[in-house]
Amino acid sequence: MANKRIAIIGAGPAGLMAAEVLSQYDYEIDVFEQKPSAARKFLMAGKTGLNISHAEPLAQFIERYDHAEWLKPWVEKWDAVWIQNWMKGLGIDSYVGSSGRIFPVEMKAAPLLRAWLKRLAEQQVKFFYRHRCINLQGTTLTLENQNNQSSETFTQQYDAVVLACGAVSWSQLGSDGTWQQWMDQSSIEPFQASNAGVLHTWSAFMESCFGEPLKRINAWVEPSQVTHGDIVITHYGLESGVIYKLGRDLREQQKQGKSLNLFLDLLPDVELTQLVKKLQASKKQSLTNIWR
Ligand SMILES: Cc1cc2nc3c(=O)[nH]c(=O)nc-3n(C[C@H](O)[C@H](O)[C@H](O)COP(=O)(O)OP(=O)(O)OC[C@H]3O[C@@H](n4cnc5c(N)ncnc54)[C@H](O)[C@@H]3O)c2cc1C
C-alpha cells in the first residue's frame, strides 16, 4: 500500500518528469491530462528538430534563465550530462551540434516520448487522459472526465498536487493557463513572452533579404554580453535563438520606457581598420560594388 497519493495535472514534459522523480518513492501517482494523449506540445517541438538542452558549461547555461540564482541548485542537479544519460536510459542516442545544443540523433520527440511513457507505466504511474482539472482547493481537485462524448464531474482529495499545466503559448495543444485562476494572484508572476522575435519595419530595399540568415554575427543589447550566432531576417523583423537570448534585456529596456537598441556586428572577425580599408573605392571596383 503506497504511503501518499499525489496528483499531477498535465502530461507535458514537466508533468512526466515530476512523475518520473516521484515514482522513485513510495507514492501512488495519478497524472490527469485534458487532451486524449500526452505531451502534444513536446511532439510539436520534435517536428522542427528537437533541441533537448545545451551542453555549454553550467555557469554560462544558467544565464539563459530569468531568476538564475534561484534555479541554479535544480539545474545543477539535472545538467546536460544528466539529460544525455537519461535519454540513453530510454534507448535514445543524442549528440551535441555545432551550436552546442543537444539533439536526439533521430531529431524527433515521438520515440523518446513512447519509451518514457512505457517506463512510467512500468513504474506504476497511472494516466487519466481526457480528464480536465477545472478547480483546485487546497489539495482537492475537481475533475471533468470528457470520455464517451459526455462529461462527468467529480472531486478527489490527494496528499499533494503538482501543477504541470504549462504556460499559455500554443493553447490548442492544451496549455491554456486556466490554472492561474486557482492561485492567489500575488503568488504568481504575470506571464511574459520568452522566445520572442523583434518586430521591425524594413524599407523596400530589404525585401530581397527576407528569409536570409545573417551568419556568425555578434549581437548585444546594453548592458548584456555579446552573443554570437546566426539571425534570420524576416518580413516582420528578426528571429533566432540569438534574438531570444537577448529578449530579457530588450524587455527590460521597454519596461523602463527606453527606446530599444539592438546592436549587430555583421563582421565580428574583421578589424575596424581592415574594414575601412576594404570599403575604400578603388580603380578596379566602383563604391557600389564594394558595398554590395
Ligand atoms: C513549435 C515549437 C517548438 C519547440 N521547440 C523546442 C525545442 O526544440 N526544445 C525545447 O526544449 N522546447 C521546445 N519547445 C517548447 C517546449 O515544447 C515546451 O517548453 C514544453 O512543452 C513545456 O512543457 P510543460 O510540461 O511545462 O508544458 P506543456 O508541454 O504545455 O504541457 C502542459 C500539459 O498540461 C495539460 N493541461 C493544462 N491545463 C490542464 C488542466 N486544467 N487539466 C488537465 N490537463 C491540463 C495540457 O493539455 C498539456 O498537455 C517548442 C515549442 C513549440 C510550440
Coordinates of all heavy atoms in Angstrom, one line a residue, residues 101-157:
R101 N 24.1 22.8 -28.9 CA 22.8 22.3 -28.5 C 22.8 20.7 -28.5 O 23.5 20.1 -29.4 CB 21.7 22.8 -29.4 CG 21.4 24.2 -29.2 CD 20.2 24.6 -30.1 NE 19.8 26.0 -29.8 CZ 20.3 27.1 -30.4 NH1 21.2 26.9 -31.3 NH2 19.9 28.3 -30.1
I102 N 22.0 20.1 -27.6 CA 21.9 18.7 -27.6 C 20.6 18.2 -28.3 O 19.5 18.7 -28.0 CB 21.8 18.2 -26.1 CG1 23.1 18.6 -25.4 CG2 21.7 16.6 -26.1 CD1 23.0 18.4 -23.9
F103 N 20.8 17.3 -29.3 CA 19.6 16.8 -30.0 C 19.6 15.3 -29.9 O 20.6 14.6 -29.9 CB 19.8 17.1 -31.5 CG 19.9 18.6 -31.8 CD1 21.1 19.2 -32.0 CD2 18.7 19.3 -32.0 CE1 21.2 20.6 -32.3 CE2 18.8 20.7 -32.3 CZ 20.0 21.3 -32.4
P104 N 18.4 14.7 -30.0 CA 18.3 13.2 -30.2 C 18.8 12.9 -31.6 O 18.5 13.7 -32.5 CB 16.8 12.9 -30.0 CG 16.1 14.2 -30.0 CD 17.0 15.3 -29.9
V105 N 19.5 11.9 -31.8 CA 20.1 11.5 -33.1 C 19.0 11.5 -34.2 O 19.1 12.1 -35.3 CB 20.9 10.2 -33.1 CG1 21.2 9.7 -34.5 CG2 22.1 10.4 -32.2
E106 N 17.8 11.0 -33.8 CA 16.7 10.9 -34.7 C 16.0 12.3 -34.9 O 15.1 12.4 -35.7 CB 15.6 9.9 -34.2 CG 16.0 8.5 -34.5 CD 14.9 7.6 -34.2 OE1 14.0 7.5 -35.1 OE2 14.9 6.9 -33.2
M107 N 16.3 13.3 -34.1 CA 15.8 14.6 -34.1 C 14.3 14.7 -33.7 O 13.7 15.8 -33.7 CB 16.0 15.3 -35.5 CG 17.4 15.4 -36.0 SD 18.4 16.4 -34.9 CE 17.9 18.1 -35.3
K108 N 13.7 13.6 -33.5 CA 12.2 13.6 -33.2 C 11.9 13.4 -31.7 O 12.8 12.9 -31.0 CB 11.5 12.5 -34.0 CG 11.6 12.7 -35.4 CD 10.9 11.5 -36.1 CE 11.1 11.5 -37.6 NZ 11.3 10.2 -38.1
A109 N 10.7 13.8 -31.3 CA 10.3 13.6 -29.9 C 9.6 12.3 -29.7 O 9.5 11.8 -28.6 CB 9.5 14.8 -29.5
A110 N 8.9 11.8 -30.8 CA 8.0 10.7 -30.6 C 8.6 9.4 -30.0 O 8.1 8.8 -29.1 CB 7.3 10.4 -31.9
P111 N 9.8 9.0 -30.5 CA 10.4 7.7 -29.9 C 10.8 7.9 -28.5 O 10.5 7.0 -27.7 CB 11.7 7.5 -30.8 CG 11.5 8.3 -32.0 CD 10.6 9.5 -31.6
L112 N 11.3 9.1 -28.1 CA 11.6 9.4 -26.7 C 10.3 9.3 -25.8 O 10.3 8.7 -24.8 CB 12.3 10.7 -26.6 CG 13.0 11.1 -25.3 CD1 14.1 12.0 -25.5 CD2 12.0 11.7 -24.3
L113 N 9.3 10.0 -26.3 CA 8.0 10.0 -25.6 C 7.4 8.6 -25.4 O 7.0 8.3 -24.3 CB 7.0 10.9 -26.3 CG 5.7 11.1 -25.6 CD1 5.8 11.7 -24.2 CD2 4.7 11.9 -26.4
R114 N 7.5 7.8 -26.4 CA 6.9 6.4 -26.3 C 7.7 5.7 -25.3 O 7.0 5.0 -24.4 CB 7.1 5.7 -27.7 CG 5.8 5.8 -28.5 CD 5.9 4.7 -29.6 NE 7.1 4.8 -30.5 CZ 7.2 5.6 -31.5 NH1 6.3 6.4 -31.9 NH2 8.4 5.6 -32.2
A115 N 9.0 5.7 -25.3 CA 9.8 5.0 -24.3 C 9.6 5.5 -22.9 O 9.5 4.7 -22.0 CB 11.3 5.1 -24.7
W116 N 9.4 6.8 -22.8 CA 9.2 7.4 -21.5 C 7.9 7.0 -20.9 O 7.8 6.6 -19.7 CB 9.3 8.9 -21.7 CG 9.6 9.7 -20.4 CD1 9.8 9.3 -19.2 CD2 9.6 11.2 -20.3 NE1 10.0 10.3 -18.3 CE2 9.9 11.5 -19.0 CE3 9.4 12.2 -21.3 CZ2 10.0 12.8 -18.5 CZ3 9.5 13.5 -20.8 CH2 9.8 13.8 -19.5
L117 N 6.8 7.0 -21.7 CA 5.5 6.7 -21.1 C 5.5 5.2 -20.7 O 4.9 4.8 -19.7 CB 4.4 7.0 -22.2 CG 4.1 8.5 -22.4 CD1 3.2 8.6 -23.6 CD2 3.5 9.1 -21.2
K118 N 6.2 4.4 -21.5 CA 6.2 2.9 -21.2 C 6.9 2.7 -19.9 O 6.4 2.0 -19.0 CB 7.0 2.2 -22.4 CG 7.0 0.7 -22.2 CD 7.6 0.1 -23.5 CE 7.8 -1.4 -23.4 NZ 9.1 -1.7 -22.8
R119 N 8.0 3.4 -19.7 CA 8.7 3.2 -18.4 C 7.9 3.7 -17.2 O 7.9 3.1 -16.2 CB 10.1 3.9 -18.5 CG 11.0 3.6 -17.3 CD 12.4 3.9 -17.5 NE 12.6 5.4 -17.4 CZ 13.7 6.0 -17.6 NH1 14.8 5.3 -18.1 NH2 13.9 7.3 -17.5
L120 N 7.2 4.9 -17.4 CA 6.4 5.4 -16.3 C 5.3 4.4 -16.0 O 5.0 4.2 -14.8 CB 5.9 6.8 -16.7 CG 6.9 7.9 -16.7 CD1 6.3 9.2 -17.3 CD2 7.4 8.2 -15.3
A121 N 4.7 3.8 -17.0 CA 3.6 2.8 -16.7 C 4.2 1.7 -15.9 O 3.6 1.2 -15.0 CB 3.0 2.4 -18.0
E122 N 5.4 1.3 -16.3 CA 6.1 0.1 -15.6 C 6.4 0.5 -14.1 O 6.4 -0.3 -13.2 CB 7.4 -0.2 -16.2 CG 7.1 -1.0 -17.5 CD 8.4 -1.1 -18.4 OE1 9.4 -0.6 -18.1 OE2 8.2 -1.6 -19.6
Q123 N 6.5 1.9 -13.9 CA 6.8 2.4 -12.5 C 5.5 2.6 -11.8 O 5.5 3.4 -10.8 CB 7.7 3.6 -12.6 CG 9.1 3.2 -12.9 CD 10.0 4.4 -13.3 OE1 11.0 4.2 -14.0 NE2 9.6 5.6 -13.0
Q124 N 4.4 2.1 -12.3 CA 3.0 2.2 -11.7 C 2.4 3.6 -11.7 O 1.5 3.8 -10.9 CB 3.0 1.6 -10.3 CG 3.7 0.3 -10.0 CD 3.1 -0.8 -10.9 OE1 1.9 -0.8 -11.1 NE2 4.0 -1.6 -11.5
V125 N 2.9 4.5 -12.6 CA 2.3 5.8 -12.7 C 1.0 5.6 -13.5 O 1.0 4.9 -14.6 CB 3.2 6.8 -13.4 CG1 2.5 8.1 -13.7 CG2 4.5 7.0 -12.6
K126 N -0.2 6.1 -13.0 CA -1.4 5.9 -13.7 C -1.8 7.2 -14.5 O -1.6 8.3 -14.0 CB -2.6 5.6 -12.7 CG -2.4 4.2 -12.1 CD -3.8 3.9 -11.5 CE -3.6 2.8 -10.4 NZ -3.4 3.4 -9.1
F127 N -2.2 7.0 -15.7 CA -2.5 8.2 -16.6 C -4.0 8.2 -16.8 O -4.6 7.2 -17.2 CB -1.8 8.1 -17.9 CG -0.3 8.4 -17.8 CD1 0.6 7.4 -17.5 CD2 0.1 9.7 -18.0 CE1 1.9 7.6 -17.4 CE2 1.5 10.0 -17.8 CZ 2.4 8.9 -17.5
F128 N -4.6 9.4 -16.7 CA -6.0 9.6 -17.0 C -6.2 10.7 -18.0 O -6.0 11.9 -17.7 CB -6.8 10.0 -15.7 CG -6.7 9.0 -14.6 CD1 -5.6 9.0 -13.7 CD2 -7.7 8.0 -14.5 CE1 -5.5 8.0 -12.7 CE2 -7.6 7.0 -13.5 CZ -6.5 7.0 -12.6
Y129 N -6.4 10.2 -19.3 CA -6.5 11.2 -20.4 C -7.9 11.7 -20.4 O -8.9 11.1 -19.9 CB -6.1 10.5 -21.7 CG -4.6 10.2 -21.7 CD1 -4.2 8.9 -21.6 CD2 -3.6 11.2 -21.7 CE1 -2.8 8.5 -21.6 CE2 -2.3 10.9 -21.6 CZ -1.9 9.5 -21.6 OH -0.6 9.2 -21.5
R130 N -8.1 12.8 -21.2 CA -9.4 13.5 -21.3 C -10.0 13.8 -19.9 O -11.2 13.9 -19.7 CB -10.4 12.6 -22.1 CG -10.1 12.4 -23.5 CD -11.3 11.9 -24.3 NE -11.1 12.0 -25.7 CZ -10.6 11.1 -26.5 NH1 -10.3 9.9 -26.0 NH2 -10.5 11.3 -27.8
H131 N -9.1 14.0 -19.0 CA -9.5 14.5 -17.6 C -9.0 15.9 -17.4 O -7.8 16.1 -17.3 CB -8.9 13.5 -16.6 CG -9.7 12.3 -16.4 ND1 -9.8 11.3 -17.3 CD2 -10.5 11.9 -15.3 CE1 -10.6 10.3 -16.8 NE2 -11.0 10.6 -15.7
R132 N -9.9 16.8 -17.4 CA -9.6 18.2 -17.2 C -9.8 18.6 -15.8 O -10.9 18.4 -15.2 CB -10.4 19.1 -18.2 CG -10.2 20.5 -18.1 CD -11.0 21.2 -19.2 NE -11.1 22.7 -19.0 CZ -10.1 23.5 -19.2 NH1 -8.9 23.1 -19.6 NH2 -10.2 24.8 -19.0
C133 N -8.8 19.2 -15.2 CA -8.9 19.7 -13.9 C -9.6 21.1 -14.0 O -9.1 22.0 -14.7 CB -7.6 19.9 -13.2 SG -7.7 20.6 -11.6
I134 N -10.8 21.3 -13.4 CA -11.5 22.6 -13.5 C -11.4 23.4 -12.2 O -11.8 24.6 -12.3 CB -12.9 22.4 -14.0 CG1 -13.7 21.4 -13.1 CG2 -13.0 21.9 -15.5 CD1 -15.2 21.3 -13.5
N135 N -11.0 22.8 -11.2 CA -10.8 23.6 -9.9 C -9.8 22.9 -9.0 O -9.7 21.7 -9.0 CB -12.1 23.9 -9.3 CG -12.1 25.0 -8.3 OD1 -11.1 25.8 -8.3 ND2 -13.1 25.2 -7.5
L136 N -9.2 23.7 -8.2 CA -8.3 23.2 -7.2 C -8.5 24.0 -5.9 O -8.4 25.2 -5.9 CB -6.9 23.4 -7.6 CG -5.7 23.0 -6.7 CD1 -5.7 21.5 -6.5 CD2 -4.4 23.5 -7.2
Q137 N -8.8 23.3 -4.8 CA -9.0 23.9 -3.5 C -8.1 23.2 -2.5 O -8.4 22.0 -2.2 CB -10.4 23.8 -3.0 CG -11.4 24.6 -3.9 CD -12.1 25.6 -3.0 OE1 -12.7 25.3 -2.0 NE2 -12.0 26.9 -3.4
G138 N -7.0 23.8 -2.1 CA -6.1 23.1 -1.3 C -5.5 21.9 -2.1 O -4.9 22.1 -3.2
T139 N -5.7 20.7 -1.6 CA -5.3 19.5 -2.5 C -6.5 18.7 -2.9 O -6.4 17.5 -3.2 CB -4.4 18.6 -1.6 OG1 -5.0 18.3 -0.4 CG2 -3.0 19.3 -1.3
T140 N -7.6 19.4 -3.0 CA -8.8 18.7 -3.6 C -9.1 19.2 -5.0 O -9.2 20.4 -5.3 CB -10.1 19.0 -2.7 OG1 -9.8 18.6 -1.4 CG2 -11.3 18.3 -3.2
L141 N -9.1 18.2 -5.9 CA -9.3 18.5 -7.3 C -10.7 18.4 -7.8 O -11.4 17.4 -7.3 CB -8.5 17.6 -8.2 CG -7.0 17.4 -8.0 CD1 -6.5 16.3 -8.9 CD2 -6.3 18.7 -8.3
T142 N -11.2 19.2 -8.6 CA -12.5 19.0 -9.3 C -12.1 18.6 -10.7 O -11.4 19.4 -11.4 CB -13.4 20.2 -9.3 OG1 -13.6 20.6 -7.9 CG2 -14.8 19.8 -9.9
L143 N -12.5 17.5 -11.2 CA -12.1 17.0 -12.5 C -13.3 16.8 -13.4 O -14.4 16.4 -12.9 CB -11.3 15.6 -12.3 CG -10.0 15.7 -11.6 CD1 -9.6 14.5 -10.9 CD2 -8.9 16.1 -12.7
E144 N -13.1 17.0 -14.7 CA -14.1 16.7 -15.7 C -13.6 15.7 -16.6 O -12.6 15.8 -17.3 CB -14.4 18.0 -16.4 CG -15.7 18.0 -17.2 CD -15.8 19.4 -17.9 OE1 -15.0 19.8 -18.7 OE2 -16.8 20.1 -17.5
N145 N -14.3 14.5 -16.6 CA -13.9 13.4 -17.4 C -14.7 13.5 -18.7 O -15.9 13.5 -18.7 CB -14.3 12.1 -16.7 CG -14.0 10.9 -17.6 OD1 -13.6 11.0 -18.7 ND2 -14.2 9.7 -17.0
Q146 N -14.0 13.8 -19.8 CA -14.6 14.0 -21.1 C -14.7 12.8 -22.0 O -14.7 12.9 -23.2 CB -14.0 15.2 -21.8 CG -14.2 16.5 -21.0 CD -13.2 17.6 -21.4 OE1 -12.1 17.3 -21.9 NE2 -13.6 18.8 -21.2
N147 N -14.7 11.6 -21.4 CA -14.8 10.4 -22.2 C -16.2 10.2 -22.8 O -17.1 10.7 -22.2 CB -14.4 9.2 -21.4 CG -12.8 9.1 -21.4 OD1 -12.2 9.2 -22.4 ND2 -12.3 8.9 -20.2
N148 N -16.3 9.4 -23.8 CA -17.6 8.9 -24.4 C -18.6 10.0 -24.7 O -19.8 9.9 -24.4 CB -18.2 7.9 -23.4 CG -17.2 6.8 -23.1 OD1 -16.5 6.4 -23.9 ND2 -17.2 6.4 -21.8
Q149 N -18.1 11.1 -25.3 CA -19.0 12.2 -25.7 C -19.8 12.8 -24.6 O -20.7 13.7 -24.9 CB -19.9 11.7 -26.8 CG -19.1 11.6 -28.1 CD -19.8 10.6 -29.1 OE1 -20.8 10.1 -28.9 NE2 -19.1 10.4 -30.2
S150 N -19.7 12.4 -23.4 CA -20.4 13.1 -22.3 C -19.4 13.5 -21.3 O -18.2 13.0 -21.4 CB -21.4 12.1 -21.7 OG -20.7 11.0 -21.1
S151 N -19.7 14.3 -20.4 CA -18.7 14.7 -19.4 C -19.3 14.4 -18.0 O -20.5 14.6 -17.7 CB -18.2 16.1 -19.6 OG -19.2 17.0 -19.2
E152 N -18.4 14.0 -17.1 CA -18.8 13.7 -15.8 C -17.9 14.5 -14.8 O -16.7 14.5 -15.1 CB -18.6 12.2 -15.6 CG -18.8 11.7 -14.2 CD -18.0 10.3 -14.0 OE1 -17.4 9.8 -14.9 OE2 -18.0 9.9 -12.9
T153 N -18.4 15.2 -13.9 CA -17.6 16.0 -12.9 C -17.5 15.3 -11.6 O -18.5 14.8 -11.1 CB -18.2 17.4 -12.8 OG1 -18.3 17.9 -14.1 CG2 -17.3 18.3 -12.0
F154 N -16.3 15.2 -11.0 CA -16.2 14.6 -9.7 C -15.0 15.3 -9.0 O -14.2 15.9 -9.6 CB -16.0 13.1 -9.8 CG -14.8 12.7 -10.6 CD1 -13.6 12.3 -10.0 CD2 -14.8 12.7 -12.0 CE1 -12.5 11.9 -10.8 CE2 -13.7 12.3 -12.8 CZ -12.6 11.9 -12.2
T155 N -14.9 15.1 -7.7 CA -13.8 15.6 -6.9 C -13.0 14.5 -6.3 O -13.5 13.4 -6.1 CB -14.3 16.5 -5.7 OG1 -15.2 15.8 -4.9 CG2 -15.0 17.8 -6.2
Q156 N -11.7 14.8 -6.1 CA -10.8 13.8 -5.5 C -9.8 14.5 -4.6 O -9.3 15.6 -5.0 CB -10.1 13.1 -6.6 CG -10.8 11.8 -6.9 CD -10.0 10.8 -7.7 OE1 -8.8 10.6 -7.3 NE2 -10.6 10.2 -8.6
Q157 N -9.6 13.9 -3.5 CA -8.6 14.5 -2.5 C -7.3 13.8 -2.6 O -7.3 12.5 -2.7 CB -9.3 14.3 -1.1 CG -8.4 14.4 0.1 CD -8.2 15.9 0.5 OE1 -9.2 16.6 0.5 NE2 -7.0 16.3 0.7

